[in-house]
Amino acid sequence: MAVQTRFPVQMEDVFPQGAYMIGEVIAADDFDKKRAGEVDPQLRDKISGQRVWQVRVLDPDPESRKGQAEVTVKVSSDHQPVPPKGPTTGPFRAVAFEGLTLTPYVDTNGNFPKIAYSLRATGFAEAA
């Protein structure tokens, strides 16, 4: 049995109340390349080889626990992805993601290890 490290998930399962983008899409840095002083320190996706971009996302679900309302979604794309023009509420823009995957890992920061999740996507979709 081959267990994949990235599990495909539906947008509605991860963000049942929708998702709101905070700020802009920015390049994700590969800290080893940055430390080595490389000209292009942008992180590359280990599977596709594409550039990795990151988006801060607010999850408005009232059931989310403290510290879990804001997440980062990494988007793999050769060029900086542009979110669709969607409804805005103040500084927040409603967004949806295509090709959303979830990767569980053990977060050892803090006093007690806990299960955490990394979110990746292949691009943006129109928000419902």
Side-chain angles (χ1 to χ4, degrees):
M1 174 172 86
V3 176
Q4 301 297 316
T5 57
R6 296 180 186 174
F7 298 98
V9 291
Q10 297 298 313
M11 177 76 187
E12 306 80 43
D13 294 333
V14 179
F15 299 106
Q17 303 293 321
Y20 294 87
M21 185 172 140
I22 305 168
E24 300 299 322
V25 177
I26 61 170
D29 286 333
D30 181 325
F31 294 106
D32 291 332
K33 286 182 180 180
K34 195 169 188 175
R35 199 172 308 121
E38 290 192 26
V39 177
D40 181 11
Q42 189 169 0
L43 185 66
R44 300 297 197 276
D45 185 278
K46 292 176 184 172
I47 296 173
S48 70
Q50 293 178 307
R51 293 177 179 276
V52 177
W53 308 86
Q54 55 190 22
V55 181
R56 289 175 52 212
V57 176
L58 178 67
D59 180 356
D61 187 350
E63 298 296 319
S64 57
R65 291 183 279 160
K66 180 180 178 183
Q68 293 181 332
E70 183 183 326
V71 297
T72 299
V73 177
K74 292 184 178 177
V75 180
S76 299
S77 175
D78 290 327
H79 305 285
Q80 184 172 7
V82 177
K85 299 228 185 291
T88 59
T89 303
F92 308 113
R93 182 188 322 189
V95 293
F97 296 97
E98 294 177 339
L100 196 59
T101 62
L102 181 139
T103 304
Y105 66 95
V106 177
D107 181 358
T108 57
N109 295 325
N111 294 332
F112 303 100
K114 62 183 176 188
I115 299 290
Y117 303 96
S118 173
L119 295 169
R120 288 188 175 259
T122 57
F124 287 103
E126 290 290 331

